[in-house]
């Protein structure tokens, strides 16, 4: 039955089982699959001035990066980018507040919890464009103009809130209630318990929710397209661009996005590591 | 000074802190206060609009406007058009294939990261490597496959350099193959996340116990690990399935106009302001997705597993 595997003692010794190598190879293949086309667009974004969106490369240049900010055809990219970031920031903030609260609320059984749960599931699995369609229809019936911080914000929340709530379930499940009880026994008020015990412990999870909601909103297309009104966000602008003309500018945007992502992640990692070190130091001092 | 004294605490020393004169809320009320805002937002922005297009799907329409009515024509027209069935069937086919592939890939990757990587720092870095492409616009990631799979694309160049083929392969781009590849590229992370989360919660002692009791690697996997990760599998499946069914641009861009998706068909009607037939189409899609999701939730009680 053991297909070429080491003996069961393999778990005790430090020898890797054969599944490690098999899965490791699969992981590498997945990475190649994930980054292969990405690397192609990174390379093509440096396409020469006369080159197109496919190989071969006709020299190299920064033309397409310059095109992003050059006034003219692509002039909408920087402003739609700033709109996307603003909207994503607001979405992320609201998602954190409401879904963290909801995650905490679900820690005890309460009448009607099933309704809330299944409403969130339904909202999560609803085909995206239909949410935008429904909200757009509603605004039209009410005689309201759709706009970024009303209808589009709402449409995105129907996707980020359930996501945030489910993520919080996973975070809250690992939280040990006896810590809060200990704080209560020591005389902490409800607010003090939340402020000094619950939230600091949940913080990494909450940051995860914030980042996830930001990403979902920043890249959201189908919910936003029918609810945004006059001013396009970045994904809508990109979609308009690929329908009209294709140029390596799109790839340059992709390259910049990835560079930006690496930067943000690096900064976040450094902050988290610092936070952990400070907490460990505090524990050492206290204990 | 405090004025609230309950019977059981008459003789207790009173806390020195000034107690606010608000009565303590019962637990269920606190929960509702915490859940309330989310519930309100979802009711107004998700439930109401859904009811709205349910109502509109029975309306009458012509070239000028839409009229309140209760007619079933929109549904009849939709369901008697062969194109509708063709599109649903092809979307379902894509959904099933992509589900299978992402499940296998996602589970393997998650298993590797959770059980085989020992350093938690390395694990975080590898997780991030999986997540970073997700930050690039899905549209750009989809069209990134065009220069990769095209006739003069990177993949064909590699194949020809290796001598695997003499002529560039044409079926790679603008085909069902390209659509599936793009979906898998876009959605595998949706499987990795929830499954990894489930796997991370499994107590390693259980796996050791299974091994000590003489279970092979395969039996441990089938009888211990998979049953314990079924919540993650169900959540991931739910996300991937509904993403494919609700897809807007992948089929449109990557099939080269050969196939349509349900939603792109629907959006054509919306741009033409034919709201009642679009609503009927939307309702059928919602019902279809709802039935599939309900079936999945029957197999795995996600709620019981998530809310403990």
């Amino acid at each position: 039955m053991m297909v070429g595997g080491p003996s069961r003692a393999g778990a005790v010794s430090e020898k890797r089982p054969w599944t490690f190598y098999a899965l490791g190879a699969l992981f590498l293949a997945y990475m190649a699959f994930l980054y292969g086309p990405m690397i192609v667009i990174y390379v093509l974004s440096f396409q020469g001035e006369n080159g197109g969106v496919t190989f071969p490369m006709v020299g190299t240049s920064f033309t397409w990066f310059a095109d992003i900010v050059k006034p003219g055809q692509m002039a909408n990219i920087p402003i739609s980018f700033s709109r996307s970031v603003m909207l994503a920031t607001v979405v992320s903030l609201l998602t954190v507040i409401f879904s963290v609260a909801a995650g905490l609320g679900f820690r005890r059984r309460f009448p009607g919890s099933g309704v809330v749960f299944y409403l969130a599931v339904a909202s999560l699995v609803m085909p995206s464009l239909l949410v935008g369609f429904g909200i757009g229809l509603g605004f039209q019936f009410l005689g309201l103009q759709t706009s970024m911080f009303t209808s589009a914000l709402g449409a995105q929340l129907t996707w980020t809130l359930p996501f945030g709530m489910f993520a919080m379930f996973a975070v809250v499940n690992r939280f040990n209630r006896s810590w809060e009880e200990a704080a209560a026994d020591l005389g902490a008020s409800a607010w003090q318990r939340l402020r000094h015990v619950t939230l600091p412990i949940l913080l990494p999870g909450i940051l995860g929710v914030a980042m996830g909601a930001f990403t979902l909103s920043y890249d959201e297309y189908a919910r936003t397209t029918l609810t945004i009104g006059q001013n396009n966000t970045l994904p809508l602008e990109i979609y308009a661009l690929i329908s009209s003309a294709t140029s390596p500018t799109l790839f340059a945007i992709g390259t910049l996005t990835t560079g930006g992502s690496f930067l943000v992640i690096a900064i976040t990692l450094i902050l988290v590591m610092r936070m952990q070190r400070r907490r460990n130091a505090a524990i050492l001092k206290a204990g | 000074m405090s004025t609230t004294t309950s019977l059981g605490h008459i003789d207790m020393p009173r806390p020195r802190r000034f107690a606010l004169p608000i009565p303590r809320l019962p637990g269920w009320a606190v929960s509702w206060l915490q859940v309330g805002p989310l519930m309100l937002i979802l009711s107004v922005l998700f439930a109401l609009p859904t009811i709205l297009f349910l109502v509109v799907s029975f309306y009458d329409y012509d070239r000028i406007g839409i009229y309140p009515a209760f007619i079933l024509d929109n549904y009849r027209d939709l369901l008697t058009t062969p194109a509708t069935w063709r599109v649903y069937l092809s979307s379902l086919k894509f959904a099933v294939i992509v589900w299978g592939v992402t499940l296998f890939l996602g589970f393997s990757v998650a298993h590797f990261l959770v059980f085989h990587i020992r350093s938690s720092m390395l694990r975080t870095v590898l997780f991030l490597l999986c997540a970073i492409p997700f930050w690039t616009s899905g549209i750009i990631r989809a069209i990134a496959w065009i220069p990769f799979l095209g006739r003069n694309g990177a993949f064909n160049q590699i194949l020809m350099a290796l001598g695997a083929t003499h002529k560039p392969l044409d079926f790679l781009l603008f085909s069902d193959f390209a659509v599936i590849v793009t979906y898998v590229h876009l959605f595998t992370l949706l499987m990795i996340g929830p499954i990894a989360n489930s796997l991370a919660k499994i107590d390693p002692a259980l796996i050791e116990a299974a091994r000590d009791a003489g279970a092979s690697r395969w039996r441990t996997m089938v009888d211990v690990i998979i049953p314990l990760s079924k919540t993650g599998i169900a959540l991931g499946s739910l996300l991937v399935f509904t993403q494919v069914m609700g897809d807007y641009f992948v089929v449109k861009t990557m099939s080269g106009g050969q196939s349509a998706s349900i939603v792109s068909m629907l959006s054509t009607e919306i741009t033409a302001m034919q709201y009642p037939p679009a609503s009927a189409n939307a309702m059928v899609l919602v019902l279809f997705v709802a039935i599939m999701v309900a079936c999945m939730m029957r197999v795995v009680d996600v709620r019981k597993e998530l809310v403990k």
Side-chain angles (χ1 to χ4, degrees):
Chain A
M1 192 63 217
M2 299 295 289
V3 195
S7 65
R8 273 195 285 130
V12 181
S13 75
E14 282 301 293
K15 206 172 157 208
R16 297 283 199 179
W18 65 272
T19 45
F20 170 79
Y21 298 102
L23 287 175
L26 189 76
F27 182 79
L28 285 181
Y30 176 63
M31 282 293 121
F33 169 73
L34 200 60
Y35 281 94
M38 302 302 288
I39 289 168
V40 169
I41 66 169
Y42 303 150
V43 172
L44 280 174
S45 62
F46 295 100
Q47 176 72 283
E49 282 172 50
N50 300 317
V53 288
T54 51
F55 286 108
M57 294 283 284
V58 187
T60 54
S61 73
F62 288 99
T63 323
W64 311 105
F65 288 93
D67 248 19
I68 298 175
V69 286
K70 206 164 69 186
Q73 196 198 352
M74 305 287 178
N76 289 330
I77 294 291
I79 184 152
S80 59
F81 167 75
S82 68
R83 278 191 210 115
S84 279
V85 170
M86 269 194 305
L87 184 58
T89 308
V90 175
V91 166
S92 159
L93 212 66
L94 293 177
T95 303
V96 164
I97 296 171
F98 296 139
S99 60
V100 168
L104 293 177
F106 264 91
R107 291 194 300 172
R108 52 175 98 71
R109 290 235 152 232
F110 59 96
S113 61
V115 179
V116 182
F117 184 84
Y118 288 109
L119 188 71
V121 171
S123 189
L124 190 69
V125 301
M126 181 77 154
S128 312
L129 189 86
L130 302 190
V131 175
F133 175 47
I135 292 177
L137 213 57
F139 269 60
Q140 202 163 331
F141 272 81
L142 295 171
L144 296 172
Q145 282 290 327
T146 51
S147 75
M148 183 160 88
F149 282 115
T150 56
S151 45
L153 174 66
Q156 295 197 345
L157 284 178
T158 63
W159 160 236
T160 58
L161 283 182
F163 157 81
M165 192 175 91
F166 285 115
M168 280 312 291
F169 287 162
V171 175
V172 166
N173 264 344
R174 276 180 243 155
F175 182 79
N176 190 342
R177 280 216 102 156
S178 54
W179 294 326
E180 273 182 325
E181 279 155 23
D185 288 347
L186 291 172
S189 68
W191 170 248
Q192 284 173 319
R193 286 199 303 270
L194 186 70
R195 166 79 184 72
H196 295 292
V197 179
T198 317
L199 287 184
I201 294 174
L202 297 185
L203 193 62
I206 293 173
L207 283 181
V209 170
M211 251 164 102
F214 188 95
T215 313
L216 292 180
S217 161
Y218 176 77
D219 190 25
E220 165 53 41
Y221 175 80
R223 272 158 219 271
T224 323
T225 178
L226 295 174
T227 51
I228 191 69
Q230 304 289 320
N231 301 315
N232 276 352
T233 54
L234 187 61
L236 300 178
E237 203 58 40
I238 289 171
Y239 193 77
L241 279 179
I242 66 161
S243 333
S244 58
T246 41
S247 79
T249 313
L250 289 171
F251 299 153
I253 297 172
T255 306
L256 278 185
T257 313
T258 308
S261 309
F262 271 109
L263 205 68
V264 171
I265 286 176
I267 294 172
T268 316
L269 271 183
I270 292 170
L271 284 181
V272 167
M273 271 178 358
R274 262 205 194 159
M275 219 158 62
Q276 267 171 349
R277 204 171 304 150
R278 205 182 311 150
R279 193 182 294 169
N280 287 347
I283 291 170
L284 278 180
K285 216 188 282 171
Chain B
M1 55 167 270
S2 161
T3 52
T4 49
T5 42
S6 67
L7 276 175
H9 294 85
I10 289 174
D11 296 320
M12 295 282 286
R14 285 180 188 168
R16 268 191 291 154
R17 209 160 26 80
F18 183 84
L20 289 169
I22 41 168
R24 246 187 94 77
L25 287 170
W28 63 267
V30 176
S31 276
W32 263 108
L33 280 179
Q34 287 168 324
V35 173
L38 181 131
M39 178 74 185
L40 185 74
I41 293 173
L42 292 187
S43 306
V44 173
L45 292 160
F46 163 70
L48 276 185
T50 309
I51 294 169
L52 185 66
F53 66 69
L54 170 67
V55 171
V56 172
S57 70
F58 297 109
Y59 276 22
D60 200 0
Y61 73 105
D62 61 21
R63 251 175 247 161
I64 309 160
I66 62 177
Y67 311 102
F70 186 81
I71 54 169
L72 293 172
D73 298 30
N74 299 316
Y75 287 98
R76 202 195 53 217
D77 293 347
L78 179 74
L79 296 177
T80 51
T81 315
T84 310
W85 294 92
R86 226 174 17 245
V87 171
Y88 268 84
L89 212 66
S90 97
S91 296
L92 191 62
K93 181 189 76 187
F94 283 136
V96 170
I97 295 173
V98 171
W99 173 73
V101 177
T102 53
L103 178 59
F104 173 74
L105 253 182
F107 189 89
S108 308
V109 168
H111 189 273
F112 178 72
L113 292 179
V114 172
F115 288 132
H116 287 288
I117 300 292
R118 288 168 187 162
S119 138
S120 71
M121 187 67 200
L122 181 62
R123 193 181 304 136
T124 311
V125 169
L126 293 182
F127 261 121
L128 286 173
L129 271 181
C130 294
I132 283 166
F134 211 62
W135 283 19
T136 301
S137 163
I139 298 163
I140 292 182
R141 289 175 62 201
I143 60 168
W145 283 100
I146 295 176
F148 192 84
L149 293 178
R151 223 164 176 279
N152 297 318
F155 194 61
N156 265 326
Q157 302 281 346
I158 294 170
L159 283 186
M160 287 198 291
L162 291 174
T165 166
H166 295 295
K167 275 196 307 185
L169 301 174
D170 277 328
F171 76 91
L172 293 176
L173 190 59
F174 301 132
S175 57
D176 285 359
F177 176 78
V179 174
I180 291 167
V181 165
T182 313
Y183 278 140
V184 172
H185 191 234
L186 287 176
F187 299 143
T188 302
L189 184 67
L190 299 179
M191 276 292 187
I192 297 177
I195 294 179
N197 186 42
S198 286
L199 290 178
K201 272 191 262 175
I202 298 176
D203 186 348
L206 286 175
I207 295 165
E208 240 166 78
R211 214 163 278 171
D212 288 347
S216 66
R217 227 175 267 295
W218 175 248
R219 289 240 65 92
T220 313
M221 177 63 99
V222 173
D223 292 334
V224 181
I225 298 177
I226 290 181
L228 285 174
S229 58
K230 60 182 194 222
T231 317
I233 293 173
L235 267 182
S237 307
L238 216 93
L239 291 174
V240 169
F241 182 81
T242 52
Q243 284 297 308
V244 175
M245 293 307 290
D247 163 55
Y248 182 74
F249 64 86
V250 174
V251 167
K252 222 160 122 182
T253 322
M254 301 307 289
S255 75
Q258 291 170 39
S259 354
S261 70
I262 304 168
V263 172
S264 65
M265 180 170 87
L266 217 152
S267 82
T268 318
E269 288 168 335
I270 295 174
T271 355
M273 307 261 241
Q274 297 170 337
Y275 295 139
S279 300
N281 204 341
M283 274 325 290
V284 172
L285 176 58
V286 168
L287 267 181
F288 187 80
V289 171
I291 291 169
M292 298 303 282
V293 169
C295 290
M296 281 187 214
M297 306 272 272
R298 264 209 104 84
V299 179
V300 181
D301 188 350
V302 177
R303 180 164 175 232
K304 210 182 82 200
E305 299 285 332
L306 274 179
V307 191
K308 290 244 167 87

